[in-house]
Amino acid sequence: MPEPFALLCLSAPFLRLGLPLGRHVVGRDPDCDFVLAHPMVSRRHAELLVTPPALTVTDLGSANGTWIDGSQIGTATVKHGQNVRFSRLAFVVHQADAGGSNDPPSTKRRDEAECALLRPHRQVVERLSGAQRRVFDVLLGGEPEKAIASHLHLSPHTVHAHIRAIFKAFSVHSRTELLVLFLGDREETGGTERGSVFPPELDGDEEDPEGEDRMVRGLREHENSE
């Protein structure tokens, strides 16, 4: 069944939250519908209610807030092209029936961010075959191998073989290492550089003292659950 809405991450262009009908909880807790293993995201951060043509976002008492286009909200209905931020992690709303001609400026910014993330590894990416690149694009989004196989209409065995080839090309041994390779430098810069999702108004927020370790552990737990 088509997903009426999706949230596309501005800082990690391969991260996409596809939103089918119903209620979905976003947070750090492994029991959430969408797990965002970021130290500034609360365990149960926000609820997303999909009832087309509306997408309603409700903050669940998070420590660092939920923001729509820069304004902190309790509950709000969002539209195609608006920015939704869970603490420091920012997304742009994409509505399936909005059409490509209505892509918002934020989508262009997201595309620019994707180019920036891939640029240091361009030569390796270009050496991937067409099939490997399609798997690579979905792999970075966090989907398990079975879901990737279903999404790309490939056998699980073929997907597994492509993933192993991708790991070899990037000289890594796991999806966790692959994600750290692409996100590590960006996470370390933080601050308020252009295109960053770490705005100055949040500099005083209380951080999780084990945040970085927990983020890596979350990635590993997700990977081991496949």
Side-chain angles (χ1 to χ4, degrees):
M1 182 176 181
E3 298 164 340
F5 289 92
L7 297 184
L8 312 178
C9 189
L10 290 173
S11 63
F14 41 77
L15 178 56
R16 176 186 182 277
L17 308 184
L19 303 176
L21 296 175
R23 297 178 184 272
H24 315 282
V25 176
V26 174
R28 278 197 345 263
D29 194 297
D31 292 331
C32 289
D33 299 294
F34 293 100
V35 180
L36 300 178
H38 189 285
M40 298 295 286
V41 173
S42 295
R43 295 184 183 279
R44 289 174 57 85
H45 196 102
E47 180 187 82
L48 308 173
L49 175 61
V50 181
T51 54
L55 170 60
T56 304
V57 180
T58 301
D59 185 80
L60 297 179
S62 66
N64 296 313
T66 300
W67 308 70
I68 307 296
D69 289 341
S71 298
Q72 189 169 10
I73 59 98
T75 298
T77 299
V78 295
K79 299 178 181 179
H80 178 76
Q82 288 191 285
N83 284 4
V84 179
R85 176 156 54 81
F86 307 111
S87 180
R88 296 183 173 187
L89 201 55
F91 295 79
V92 61
V93 177
H94 177 77
Q95 188 169 1
D97 60 4
S101 60
N102 293 326
D103 282 349
S106 294
T107 302
K108 295 179 182 178
R109 175 183 161 190
R110 179 175 177 268
D111 292 340
E112 291 171 357
E114 181 171 15
C115 291
L117 284 172
L118 294 180
R119 191 176 297 121
H121 312 283
R122 183 180 60 185
Q123 291 183 346
V124 179
V125 173
E126 289 177 348
R127 286 200 297 267
L128 298 177
S129 70
Q132 289 169 353
R133 177 60 194 269
R134 288 192 294 274
V135 171
F136 171 75
D137 290 341
V138 183
L139 180 69
L140 289 177
E143 291 192 33
E145 289 189 21
K146 290 182 179 178
I148 294 173
S150 175
H151 181 77
L152 298 179
H153 306 290
L154 297 172
S155 72
H157 176 77
T158 299
V159 168
H160 185 76
H162 285 324
I163 289 174
R164 293 304 155 192
I166 291 167
F167 288 169
K168 183 177 180 180
F170 285 97
S171 299
V172 299
H173 300 91
S174 68
R175 190 189 312 218
T176 299
E177 292 181 15
L178 187 66
L179 289 172
V180 170
L181 179 67
F182 279 88
L183 285 179
D185 293 340
R186 191 176 184 89
E187 286 292 335
E188 289 170 5
T189 59
T192 58
E193 64 176 337
R194 184 176 181 180
S196 172
V197 293
F198 303 98
E201 67 267 22
L202 295 180
D203 284 348
D205 284 345
E206 179 181 356
E207 296 196 20
D208 183 341
E210 300 180 3
E212 293 301 322
D213 289 341
R214 181 173 287 111
M215 180 166 60
V216 173
R217 286 202 301 273
L219 291 171
R220 288 193 180 122
E221 288 168 2
H222 178 81
E223 185 176 63
N224 292 336
S225 68
E226 294 182 4

